[in-house]
Amino acid sequence: MVATEVRTLAQGSSEAAREISTLISTSVNQVNEGVQLVDQTGPALEKIRQAVEQISSRISTIAASAKEQSSALGEINTAVNSLDGVTQQNAAMFEETTAASHALTSDAEAPAKTVSHFKLDNIHHASPSKEPRKPSVAGAIRKAPRAPSLAGNVALKTEDAAPQQGGWEDF
């Protein structure tokens, strides 16, 4: 009886030792797997860190580019505003030029009307049209009105007046 109990106890201890050994073996395997996972985590975390650095670098580049574009847009805006001012000045100068050309046209018509009362000797003219020709604005701008040529010692005579002594003479 005592021997049987010792044997039963020995068998129970032996089974318990085998179970403990299996548990220890399982625990060692799990610890080894954990170590391997930890070893793999290090390089994975390094890759993640490098990717974050690359993203940060790209974001910095994008921010710098955005700042440059903002500056360039500011310069373009300034140039467009300047161009607008110059365009407005040009429009004002064009209006002034147009007014001056109209005044010049009027001033050019007055001497033409005055000269039309005179008859020039030895000069042949084309037959006058029914309406006096008005100089165009473009013609008035391109060349100034010219005085009649007095080449060849031609004296001017009025159509209405008879020759008087002390009047116009050949020169």
Side-chain angles (χ1 to χ4, degrees):
M1 216 161 116
V2 175
T4 314
E5 283 191 35
V6 170
R7 217 183 293 161
T8 308
L9 271 172
Q11 284 179 348
S13 293
S14 174
E15 283 182 34
R18 269 188 248 143
E19 284 181 23
I20 291 174
S21 176
T22 304
L23 288 174
I24 289 175
S25 231
T26 303
S27 292
V28 167
N29 288 338
Q30 289 178 349
V31 167
N32 286 336
E33 287 177 13
V35 168
Q36 288 176 352
L37 290 174
V38 168
D39 288 344
Q40 292 173 357
T41 303
L45 288 175
E46 180 62 24
K47 287 180 183 178
I48 291 171
R49 185 192 62 79
Q50 289 173 355
V52 168
E53 284 179 359
Q54 288 176 349
I55 291 170
S56 176
S57 174
R58 289 179 183 165
I59 288 173
S60 295
T61 302
I62 290 170
S65 295
K67 187 175 180 180
E68 287 176 17
Q69 286 178 352
S70 174
S71 175
L73 287 174
E75 291 174 12
I76 289 171
N77 189 33
T78 300
V80 167
N81 287 338
S82 175
L83 185 61
D84 182 50
V86 169
T87 301
Q88 288 179 7
Q89 287 176 345
N90 284 345
M93 288 187 336
F94 178 75
E95 288 179 13
E96 290 175 11
T97 302
T98 301
S101 70
H102 288 294
L104 181 60
T105 301
S106 296
D107 290 348
E109 288 174 354
K113 285 181 183 177
T114 302
V115 169
S116 72
H117 295 294
F118 294 98
K119 179 179 178 185
L120 299 176
D121 286 344
N122 297 329
I123 298 178
H124 299 288
H125 294 286
S127 62
S129 64
K130 293 181 182 178
E131 287 188 32
R133 187 175 141 229
K134 292 186 178 181
S136 69
V137 175
I141 292 173
R142 272 185 257 159
K143 57 184 179 182
R146 295 180 7 192
S149 172
L150 297 177
N153 291 331
V154 178
L156 296 174
K157 296 180 185 176
T158 62
E159 292 178 10
D160 299 343
Q164 298 176 0
Q165 285 196 314
W168 289 96
E169 297 176 6
D170 290 339
F171 38 113

